[in-house]
Amino acid sequence: MSVMGTRVVRIEDHKLITSGGSYVDDLREPELTGAVHAMFVRSPIAHARIGSIDVSAAREAPGVVGVFTADDLDIAFAPGPTGEPWLARDRVRYVGEPVALVLTEHPYQLADVAELVDIDYDPLDAVIDLDDALSGRTLLFDGTDSNVAGGKAKPFDEKLFDDCEVVVTRTITNQRVAPAPLEVRGAACAWGEDGRLTMWLSTQNAQIARDILAGGLGVDPGTVRVIAPDVGGGFGAKIGADPEAVVLGWASRRVGRPVRWFETRSENLTAMTHGRGQRHTVTIGGRRDGTVLAYRLEVVQDAGAYPRAGAGMLPGFTRLMAPGVYRIPRVEVATRSVLTNTTPIAAYRGAGRPEATAAIERAMDLFAAEIGMDPAEVRRINFIRPEEFPYTTPSGASYDTGEYAKALDAVLSAGGYAELRAEQARRREAGDVVVLGLGIAAYVEITAGDGMGESGRVDVNPDGTVTAYTGSSPHGQGLHTSLAMLLSDQFGVPMDKITIRHGDTDEVPKAVGTFASRSLQLGGSVLKQAGDQVIERAKEIAANLLEASPDDVELNVDQGAWQVRGAPSGGTVTWAQVAAAAGEDGLSADVWYGDVQPTFPFGAHLAVVEVDTLTGKAVLRRIIAVDDAGPVVNPVTFQGQRHGGLAQGVAQALLEEMSYDADGNPTTATLADYPFITATELPDFELVDMATPTTRNPLGVKGIGEAATIGSTPAVQNAVVDALAHLGVRHIEMPATPQRVWQAINDAREGR
Amino acid sequence: MKVTIEVNGRSTVEEVEDRTLLVHYLRDTLGLTATNVGCDTTSCGACTVLLDGESVKSCTVLAAQADGHRVTTVEGLTGEGGELHPVQRAFSNQHGLQCGFCTPGMIMASVSILAENPKPTRQEVREALEGNLCRCTGYHNIVSAVMEASGQEVDG
Amino acid sequence: MIPVGFSYRRASTVDEAVGLLGEYGDEGKLLAGGHSLLPLMKLRLAAPEVLVDIAPLADLRYVRTDGDTVAIGALSRYHDLHHDEVLRQHAPLLAHVAGAIGDPQVRHRGTIGGSLAHADAAADLPAALLASDGVLVAQGPGGRREIPAGEFFLDPFTTALQPDELLVEIRVPGQDGVGWAFEKFTRRSIDWAIVGVAVLGQSVGLINMAGTPIRATRVEEALAGGANPAEAAELAAEGTSPPDEPHASAAYRQHLARVLTGRALERAAGRVPAGL
Ligand SMILES: Cc1cc2nc3c(=O)[nH]c(=O)nc-3n(C[C@H](O)[C@H](O)[C@H](O)COP(=O)(O)OP(=O)(O)OC[C@H]3O[C@@H](n4cnc5c(N)ncnc54)[C@H](O)[C@@H]3O)c2cc1C
Ligand code: FES
Ligand code: FES
């Protein structure tokens, strides 16, 4: 019987629940013996010229092995006018930017020494506000004439909304949030006697990290080995390698000793990239019968101080996915990215798609409110219909498959939408202080939208066990279990005879890794192809052993053995026998899967909130979700991904925001101040299953890593607004803090 | 200073700097690296261990304060023969962990919760886990794991 | 993450603790549960040279009745207080508040004496003690003295304790049969109060509405003058000066103080006296 689609407890768990993972700070590898400890001295000021740096006192302190600044670095500086230095030179552009590196014998000495590094800052005006940044009044980079790092303001088509009976427009902030994986960033590295650098790095992509390191250090990629040990969450913020990693590799070479680094949470919240950070101006128009005719989205992306992924990739995905699940005849999108004196922005679970969804889903509700129609009904009227797929949107996306109306109807029926609306009306009528809000979001997103390939290799060992090497780089997703299930199914080998390996660039030299919910669809598809090749080869060997024609032998997956078709009594050969007979090169296939086609998971969420109209506090009571990513390999981890996504999405709607004051000082720089969502702010999740396969990969699967985050944020935000609709509230910015909600109620009462 | 701390049933005697935090005593002095550090403000609970049987955040206890006391970490939960503690087993069964970084702290917090309230409701479990952050699971399955470990219906 | 270096001393008697405080003067700091002091030290916002650990003073961990008074040892931990049968019966407001602080791990460590001595206007127990008309017992080189709660909290993080004094006991009049309520307004359950209100009978303590914990005197006067809870609660923000922060402005907190005071008074009035 096939294990596919059955509940399989993760093979990853045992170690994690008994002796804990091997995260980078846990490593006790012999190569790291005698390692020195590293800490970065970071800018406490958002924007300043660096006057002088005096490291003399620090260099004298007990236990110091080295104190280095940009002047010490003899590696090339990032090119281009807005290039990001390894360590700040002359100028700092955000609080948290690394300025110096301290190395000590004992980790407890680091902070003592870092305090002694005396840096003289000459403050400049901090550019925090987006309009201020766009105005170019203060420029972040000399030699540029604008802070705009990508895109441009283009004139919109004046006639876009000409035939619309109703047009609504609104500016909405999709706030900056901190990815905050529970494990902060860390690395450990050592140069071997062979002149090679080995770096253990908490990363989602060892191979990309290797290339960044080699490029930064000016060495051949072959001289760098990156190993991703267990990684305590990434959520997009651990893609590749950050500048710190390059400096650590350099420092290890400079002092001739292994180096270890594990940042503090306060550093992490200011110096690891943030996510989201877009301002949207949405305009939506249509007819009073509910038909949407035109949609315009203007995006201003806060890129932070240096253009990383935030500058191009994020708004690019927002543009592509702007029309969401609707067939809107006319869609216009313009995006601009602008630099500010804040932490650089990059990917965070969803990376550009949650922003697109939040914009269109808020716009749909604004439109529905304006024409006085139920938001579910407006959505139904405008959904792309199942028979229209593949569907190319005006923004250029080619959606594979979808059942958008079915997904919405499924959550509404599971949630008891009609009863909930009745309860809402009852409370309103009774004048209850605590009112009920229902929020809907329907979404489609793009996964594996990167266009890069993935690698996979399958070896059948002479003892009949299977070892697979994947280019994916899981860090909590349970991919080892899913891949082992796939191979077990394909080979008929029990799961405990299958080992999955990943994350060592010496074992898997060419790979891309994990982001964009790509791992199962690409990492899984390529292993399937490698498996198919192995089976082809095995068939010939087995035929030889069975003295039959290859056409007549078959793999009996129930027994994991080869036999002559239709003649099971004629004897079998085991995988071990086949592998042993495979000769010198063994039984192995190594495949690069380059034909990457993105897929488009979709779903619908219904959120139920209660809002205390006197205090403004909104509490999420229920969230009912369909997240359709095609066939499910392991429901255990599939649901786990949805749960995690839901929580992070809810967090953005209700709680989390990375904030700065007007001078660019972060005001949420510790976990005491940053309102990371906890178990008490979340209800039990209500998941409704749907599985619509894609035609675009051999497994039929789409990505599930980010989907639920994308749907839940606007569902919850819409619910909070809906709760107060009867008071005249039309919009509340995220996060819907009690004060904001209270303010919105006051404003509505006063007709503002 | 010299401290004597019983860790997972074994007496440990070590010379440490006075400012040594218990979590670093466990991780660095003793090499018990399951217990993790996730913050610097006593907020995340990744460092939770049992001190004299009660959950504490070992990043906010000095090794000196634990001198003469008993500490249990997740490494000490597994039985001699490798049999899992019911809470460990339930975390795996219910998929109460993903990246695993919060897990040792979550498990120890859960052991303490059940010692104080053997038959909690799901809502009580949520409230008792307020000091333990998890970025991956959305907590749903962690709550289920504690329910399973309590011998109750998971859906409560 | 790592505090500045210090030396650690352990006191095994109250006298020894007082002696060590005298010896180290400004450089020394008492360490009880450590859940205010160590977090500050880890962020290097405090850097005492000597810590005098008083947690081992087990004889300062108790709850007992003394006639109509409930006496609580200063080193009693929140968790123990929350579950203490004597306290739940005779001072349920305090037992309840002790269970509303921080998270279980914090409650396993934090002490009532530490919370009061730390004197954070955002903390829960100080306002509850004010509403309870509590008395703090301090011991110094000259022996013991009693300080009424109303005279204890002088300024933010500043109390009437002398540098060489130790808080040894907290006394409150028995609360048997008196209605009480506690309203703590937070975004997440782990958070400190944005605003909090502790009500015992007609006494009202406010959390985070000034630089110190305060009593809502105008509300109490109005109640004494016969106002109903709703009317009295309207006065809850009179004379307050709460923090003004982006996520919670002073005006919003004042609004919350009125709403929460109204709710607490209603609940206290309706609460079956005694018991949680
Ligand atoms: C994550 C977290 C969340 C928290 N949430 C809350 C909350 O919601 N509400 C709340 O009220 N508090 C909260 N706290 C603070 C907690 O209540 C502290 O434990 C308490 O404030 C201090 O008590 P302690 O015994 O730990 O004191 P310590 O930290 O040991 O000492 C605090 C101060 O008091 C002095 N001191 C201690 N004992 C005595 C004594 N007997 N005599 C004289 N001086 C003494 C010390 O020298 C020090 O200056 C939280 C703490 C944390 C870490
Ligand atoms: S490390 Fe976060 S609470 Fe201890
Ligand atoms: S499993 Fe990753 S933080 Fe909890």
Side-chain angles (χ1 to χ4, degrees):
Chain A
M1 206 205 74
S2 172
V3 290
M4 299 292 284
T6 64
R7 296 185 63 86
V8 175
V9 167
R10 298 197 319 171
I11 55 181
E12 288 91 341
D13 289 350
H14 189 263
K15 179 177 85 163
L16 299 173
I17 58 176
T18 52
S19 53
S22 307
Y23 307 99
V24 69
D25 203 41
D26 299 337
L27 299 174
R28 298 294 181 267
E29 317 314 90
E31 296 92 323
L32 295 172
T33 310
V36 298
H37 298 267
M39 176 180 262
F40 288 89
V41 179
R42 297 179 181 279
S43 174
I45 300 188
H47 199 189
R49 292 205 183 278
I50 299 176
S52 60
I53 306 182
D54 181 357
V55 298
S56 53
R59 282 199 174 128
E60 304 284 287
V64 170
V65 179
V67 182
F68 303 111
T69 67
D71 285 343
D72 299 302
L73 291 179
D74 49 9
I75 47 177
F77 189 61
T82 58
E84 183 166 5
W86 306 122
L87 291 172
R89 183 196 299 268
D90 309 330
R91 192 155 166 185
V92 287
R93 295 187 176 84
Y94 68 95
V95 171
E97 182 167 3
V99 183
L101 177 74
V102 166
L103 300 179
T104 64
E105 295 287 353
H106 191 276
Y108 272 39
Q109 293 161 336
L110 287 168
D112 301 345
V113 177
E115 283 183 347
L116 298 174
V117 176
D118 189 5
I119 306 170
D120 193 25
Y121 293 101
D122 190 5
L124 299 166
D125 285 347
V127 183
I128 305 303
D129 176 71
L130 289 182
D131 288 318
D132 191 23
L134 287 170
S135 79
R137 196 176 49 83
T138 302
L139 294 172
L140 267 75
F141 291 87
D142 296 337
T144 61
D145 57 4
S146 147
N147 291 318
V148 175
K152 53 174 178 282
K154 69 168 194 224
F156 283 109
D157 178 359
E158 304 248 319
K159 301 203 196 64
L160 200 69
F161 298 96
D162 273 2
D163 58 349
C164 296
E165 294 166 10
V166 177
V167 179
V168 195
T169 188
R170 184 120 215 166
T171 297
I172 297 171
T173 300
N174 200 282
Q175 82 274 22
R176 169 191 289 263
V177 293
L182 208 62
E183 184 207 25
V184 296
R185 294 177 300 169
C189 64
W191 289 84
E193 287 182 357
D194 56 1
R196 293 185 78 212
L197 170 70
T198 301
M199 181 174 286
W200 290 263
L201 182 67
S202 186
T203 179
Q204 303 174 213
N205 324 74
Q207 293 76 10
I208 296 176
R210 173 201 56 204
D211 295 347
I212 291 173
L213 283 171
L217 295 170
V219 299
D220 185 81
T223 57
V224 179
R225 176 185 186 189
V226 172
I227 300 173
D230 285 333
V231 171
F235 311 110
K238 288 182 183 168
I239 294 176
D242 285 347
E244 283 91 342
V246 175
V247 178
L248 294 167
W250 172 87
S252 176
R253 186 169 63 189
R254 170 72 169 252
V255 301
R257 291 176 61 181
V259 173
R260 314 185 69 114
W261 172 63
F262 192 65
E263 68 182 347
T264 66
R265 176 59 66 182
S266 307
E267 286 180 275
N268 177 266
L269 284 170
T270 54
M272 174 189 248
T273 51
H274 295 157
R276 314 277 190 265
Q278 291 186 359
R279 190 177 69 191
H280 300 145
T281 304
V282 297
T283 311
I284 186 166
R287 289 197 294 263
R288 294 209 168 267
D289 68 1
T291 314
V292 176
L293 297 171
Y295 176 61
R296 169 189 289 171
L297 173 64
E298 187 185 349
V299 179
V300 180
Q301 170 76 57
D302 184 348
Y306 296 95
R308 294 204 199 166
M313 194 252 299
L314 258 55
F317 277 127
T318 307
R319 168 203 300 278
L320 185 69
M321 299 310 293
V325 286
Y326 308 107
R327 49 176 180 32
I328 306 176
R330 297 187 300 280
V331 176
E332 273 198 354
V333 190
T335 69
R336 270 179 297 170
S337 291
V338 64
L339 298 166
T340 58
N341 290 118
T342 58
T343 301
I345 295 247
Y348 171 54
R349 205 166 194 165
R353 294 102 78 199
E355 296 88 327
T357 304
I360 184 73
E361 288 306 288
R362 236 7 329 270
M364 290 306 278
D365 266 25
L366 288 168
F367 181 72
E370 194 65 30
I371 61 173
M373 191 179 272
D374 188 282
E377 194 48 37
V378 173
R379 285 174 171 79
R380 272 195 208 99
I381 291 170
N382 292 286
F383 280 141
I384 300 163
R385 315 212 181 290
E387 63 277 11
E388 292 176 284
F389 291 89
Y391 181 90
T392 302
T393 68
S395 57
S398 166
Y399 296 171
D400 47 0
T401 52
E403 290 271 8
Y404 303 153
K406 188 173 156 195
L408 179 63
D409 289 343
V411 292
L412 297 186
S413 113
Y417 189 65
E419 296 79 13
L420 288 166
R421 281 281 175 219
E423 167 68 7
Q424 177 182 55
R426 193 200 60 71
R427 290 197 196 186
R428 285 179 180 173
E429 217 134 285
D432 283 8
V433 167
V434 177
V435 293
L436 202 66
L438 310 180
I440 294 171
Y443 71 92
V444 57
E445 64 129 341
I446 176 170
T447 61
D450 51 83
M452 295 187 265
E454 195 53 279
S455 68
R457 180 177 132 200
V458 175
D459 295 357
V460 180
N461 305 309
D463 62 357
T465 61
V466 174
T467 308
Y469 299 85
T470 175
S472 297
S473 199
H475 40 281
Q477 296 88 344
L479 191 72
H480 280 212
T481 304
S482 302
L483 295 180
M485 288 170 72
L486 285 172
L487 289 170
S488 172
D489 203 54
Q490 200 179 1
F491 282 63
V493 171
M495 284 189 55
D496 60 5
K497 297 261 181 322
I498 299 172
T499 306
I500 310 289
R501 300 191 55 88
H502 80 269
D504 180 338
T505 59
D506 275 8
E507 276 182 1
V508 184
K510 185 180 176 198
V512 176
T514 291
F515 53 72
S517 303
R518 70 202 301 283
S519 297
L520 183 63
Q521 48 188 329
L522 304 188
S525 293
V526 65
L527 275 194
K528 175 163 189 336
Q529 290 185 344
D532 286 344
Q533 289 187 14
V534 166
I535 287 175
E536 275 312 301
R537 240 329 288 287
K539 181 181 272 186
E540 286 175 17
I541 300 169
N544 240 335
L545 294 173
L546 291 163
E547 296 177 356
S549 148
D551 292 342
D552 293 337
V553 282
E554 64 178 6
L555 174 62
N556 179 337
V557 283
D558 291 335
Q559 290 172 16
W562 291 88
Q563 63 192 28
V564 177
R565 199 187 311 273
S569 54
T572 59
V573 292
T574 63
W575 274 111
Q577 288 168 304
V578 174
E584 282 270 292
D585 295 341
L587 185 53
S588 168
D590 194 349
V591 175
W592 175 258
Y593 182 76
D595 173 32
V596 175
Q597 296 195 55
T599 63
F600 295 83
F602 63 92
H605 290 192
L606 170 64
V608 183
V609 302
E610 283 188 327
V611 178
D612 181 331
T613 50
L614 288 180
T615 63
K617 185 163 171 166
V619 177
L620 179 67
R621 291 299 178 203
R622 295 176 64 192
I623 187 153
I624 304 114
V626 162
D627 303 292
D628 185 335
V632 173
V633 173
N634 186 357
V636 170
T637 49
F638 187 82
Q639 287 167 4
Q641 289 301 299
R642 295 170 69 186
H643 286 168
L646 285 169
Q648 288 182 6
V650 173
Q652 186 182 6
L654 290 181
L655 289 163
E656 297 185 15
E657 175 166 28
M658 196 63 214
S659 322
Y660 290 85
D661 69 14
D663 297 324
N665 299 306
T667 56
T668 48
T670 68
L671 280 187
D673 295 316
Y674 187 80
F676 191 122
I677 196 159
T678 82
T680 51
E681 288 70 56
L682 288 165
D684 289 339
F685 301 128
E686 301 172 49
L687 305 186
V688 182
D689 293 328
M690 254 178 70
T692 309
T694 182
T695 49
R696 295 188 180 165
N697 63 54
L699 299 174
V701 300
K702 308 182 183 184
I704 192 59
E706 297 157 291
T709 320
I710 294 167
S712 54
T713 303
V716 174
Q717 187 186 17
N718 283 343
V720 176
V721 178
D722 179 69
L724 304 168
H726 63 302
L727 303 176
V729 172
R730 283 288 166 88
H731 179 72
I732 297 176
E733 292 280 37
M734 299 191 294
T737 63
Q739 175 172 264
R740 270 208 181 121
V741 172
W742 172 70
Q743 194 65 52
I745 296 170
N746 287 350
D747 289 352
R749 286 214 171 106
E750 288 161 27
R752 264 179 277 160
Chain B
M1 67 178 290
K2 192 163 112 188
V3 294
T4 306
I5 306 175
E6 188 192 310
V7 178
N8 298 335
R10 187 171 63 92
S11 169
T12 65
V13 186
E14 300 283 346
E15 191 65 40
V16 296
E17 216 185 321
D18 288 13
R19 61 173 162 166
T20 306
L21 303 174
L22 177 58
V23 69
H24 293 128
Y25 179 78
L26 297 169
R27 291 179 52 83
D28 300 337
T29 312
L30 303 183
L32 294 170
T33 54
T35 306
N36 289 321
V37 172
C39 74
D40 41 19
T41 48
T42 322
S43 309
C44 75
C47 62
T48 301
V49 301
L50 303 185
L51 181 60
D52 296 331
E54 292 177 329
S55 60
V56 300
K57 294 178 172 176
S58 63
C59 69
T60 310
V61 176
L62 299 173
Q65 289 173 292
D67 185 20
H69 295 266
R70 196 159 46 84
V71 173
T72 313
T73 70
V74 83
E75 289 105 329
L77 275 192
T78 319
E80 294 276 307
E83 70 276 14
L84 297 178
H85 185 280
V87 174
Q88 287 172 311
R89 205 179 316 120
F91 264 71
S92 183
N93 284 346
Q94 295 296 331
H95 190 32
L97 66 152
Q98 291 186 23
C99 80
F101 198 81
C102 70
T103 309
M106 280 286 179
I107 289 179
M108 300 318 288
S110 302
V111 169
S112 184
I113 290 168
L114 291 176
E116 288 168 12
N117 183 3
K119 299 285 174 204
T121 63
R122 285 187 72 95
Q123 187 54 32
E124 284 170 346
V125 173
R126 287 185 181 277
E127 282 159 19
L129 286 173
E130 63 190 332
N132 288 76
L133 302 179
C134 173
R135 201 54 161 174
C136 301
T137 63
Y139 306 100
H140 182 112
N141 287 347
I142 291 177
V143 178
S144 299
V146 180
M147 294 301 285
E148 180 189 313
S150 76
Q152 303 183 93
E153 282 296 320
V154 163
D155 295 330
Chain C
M1 178 75 198
I2 310 303
V4 176
F6 56 82
S7 39
Y8 172 90
R9 300 294 305 269
R10 195 177 288 152
S12 43
T13 64
V14 173
D15 286 338
E16 193 184 345
V18 172
L20 287 167
L21 281 181
E23 186 181 331
Y24 296 114
D26 284 348
E27 272 107 65
K29 256 305 191 187
L30 293 175
L31 177 70
H35 270 49
S36 286
L37 189 51
L38 292 176
L40 286 174
M41 291 171 64
K42 285 172 62 186
L43 293 176
R44 300 195 166 212
L45 298 172
E49 286 177 25
V50 181
L51 285 188
V52 177
D53 189 359
I54 52 172
L57 303 181
D59 51 351
L60 292 186
R61 290 171 71 174
Y62 57 82
V63 177
R64 52 181 173 245
T65 48
D66 182 358
D68 286 344
T69 304
V70 183
I72 305 166
L75 280 157
S76 306
R77 294 175 180 171
Y78 304 143
H79 174 81
D80 301 333
L81 294 177
H82 182 58
H83 293 280
D84 188 276
E85 281 310 324
V86 174
L87 199 66
R88 287 168 91 96
Q89 173 144 28
H90 300 296
L93 172 65
L94 293 186
H96 175 83
V97 171
I101 297 167
D103 56 46
Q105 292 95 316
V106 170
R107 296 196 288 273
H108 286 141
R109 297 296 294 168
T111 68
I112 182 169
S115 175
L116 297 171
H118 192 61
D120 189 334
D124 300 320
L125 273 170
L129 194 74
L130 279 178
S132 304
D133 278 319
V135 170
L136 298 99
V137 184
Q139 186 165 336
R144 289 191 168 209
R145 66 178 179 122
E146 298 197 350
I147 311 164
E151 295 165 21
F152 186 75
F153 305 104
L154 303 180
D155 274 311
F157 304 103
T158 310
T159 69
L161 285 176
Q162 295 301 312
D164 55 359
E165 271 182 330
L166 186 76
L167 207 49
V168 290
E169 189 175 273
I170 291 85
R171 303 170 72 82
V172 292
Q175 300 169 359
D176 306 53
V178 186
W180 61 274
F182 184 61
E183 288 281 338
K184 179 176 181 177
F185 189 78
T186 61
R187 290 179 68 193
R188 303 176 301 164
S189 95
I190 175 68
D191 287 331
W192 294 68
I194 293 175
V195 172
V197 180
V199 165
L200 182 72
Q202 303 208 329
S203 304
V204 182
L206 296 180
I207 297 167
N208 226 359
M209 288 302 292
T212 64
I214 54 169
R215 278 177 81 146
T217 339
R218 294 293 308 280
V219 177
E220 295 177 354
E221 287 165 7
L223 289 170
N228 68 32
E231 294 161 355
E234 279 307 306
L235 303 169
E238 301 274 310
T240 61
S241 51
D244 194 14
E245 290 164 334
H247 74 278
S249 68
Y252 177 56
R253 286 186 214 258
Q254 291 185 323
H255 165 76
L256 283 179
R258 289 187 287 266
V259 173
L260 300 178
T261 301
R263 288 180 182 174
L265 288 173
E266 298 282 0
R267 183 164 321 160
R271 168 114 46 196
V272 184
L276 279 176

